[in-house]
Amino acid sequence: MPPTPDESALRALARRDPGLGLAMSRVKPFPGFPRGVLRGSHFHAIARSIVYQQLATAAAGAIYGRVCALTPGGSFPSAAELLALGEERMRSAGLSRAKTRALRDLASRCETGQLELRGIGRLSNEEIIERLTTVWGVGEWTAQMFLIFKLGRLDVMPSTDLGIQEGLKRLDGLSTRPDPNHVLERAEPWRPLRSVASWVLWRLTDTAD
């Protein structure tokens, strides 16, 4: 099972950054991951992150559901099933040309063994990011979502994520969203629980006016 921060670690995080600590008391507690749909295969988790790239949650969820409906059973297609669908059927579900290419490259690499996902959880964050970003269309953000939501890694800071930047803007009362370098610098006191802090920043964005 992925590690879950205990109460003493969470209290220590709140003490290191009182502003974050106040926000932690106002949002839903960090739930720990993986859960729900992300308890499936590593392939599925990465594919799902590709579908969700740069889209609002509701829009991405609708497309994801239509992709699931392309094969029998209602679950997301396996790598072999995805390749058998063909590009046009994938596009008919609402996937962009770029996401279709990314999903097919992911599926092809998994099927041919170019991308080995078995045992990937034993690698470091940096090694996992390096391995996953060999897939066309999979960048650092997608790999970081896999680290947090599938592998349950507790010290990941997706600094390019707009929700993270907006959450930090609200947390610190900034006039504009901070750039990724500012986010990383600001997040240093949150080690080794930067994933928990990320969860809080996302929730601040969710609950914003």
Side-chain angles (χ1 to χ4, degrees), residues 2-3 33-34 45-46 49 120-121 123-130 132 140-157 195:
F33 298 104
I46 299 164
S49 288
I120 198 171
L123 302 180
S124 69
N125 290 356
E126 292 73 21
E127 290 170 324
I128 291 170
I129 290 171
E130 182 178 2
L132 295 187
E140 186 177 34
W141 179 88
T142 304
Q144 288 171 327
M145 296 304 102
F146 178 77
L147 288 170
I148 295 173
F149 294 105
K150 177 57 181 172
L151 298 185
R153 297 290 173 91
L154 293 176
D155 194 35
V156 181
M157 176 47 63
S195 299

Side-chain angles (χ1 to χ4, degrees), residues 112-139:
T112 61
Q114 288 179 278
L115 178 64
E116 180 55 66
L117 296 178
R118 185 177 302 170
I120 198 171
R122 294 191 290 270
L123 302 180
S124 69
N125 290 356
E126 292 73 21
E127 290 170 324
I128 291 170
I129 290 171
E130 182 178 2
R131 181 175 294 191
L132 295 187
T133 53
T134 61
V135 177
W136 191 92
V138 171

Side-chain angles (χ1 to χ4, degrees), residues 1-4 27-42 44-45 48-49 52 57 64 145-153 195 198-200 202-203 206:
M1 290 293 293
T4 301
V27 302
K28 294 179 180 179
F30 179 72
F33 298 104
R35 57 179 183 154
V37 67
L38 291 179
R39 290 187 180 131
S41 70
H42 290 344
H44 173 214
R48 186 176 186 275
S49 288
Y52 276 69
T57 301
Y64 175 83
M145 296 304 102
F146 178 77
L147 288 170
I148 295 173
F149 294 105
K150 177 57 181 172
L151 298 185
R153 297 290 173 91
S195 299
S198 295
W199 168 262
V200 175
W202 278 318
R203 301 291 73 75
D206 289 345

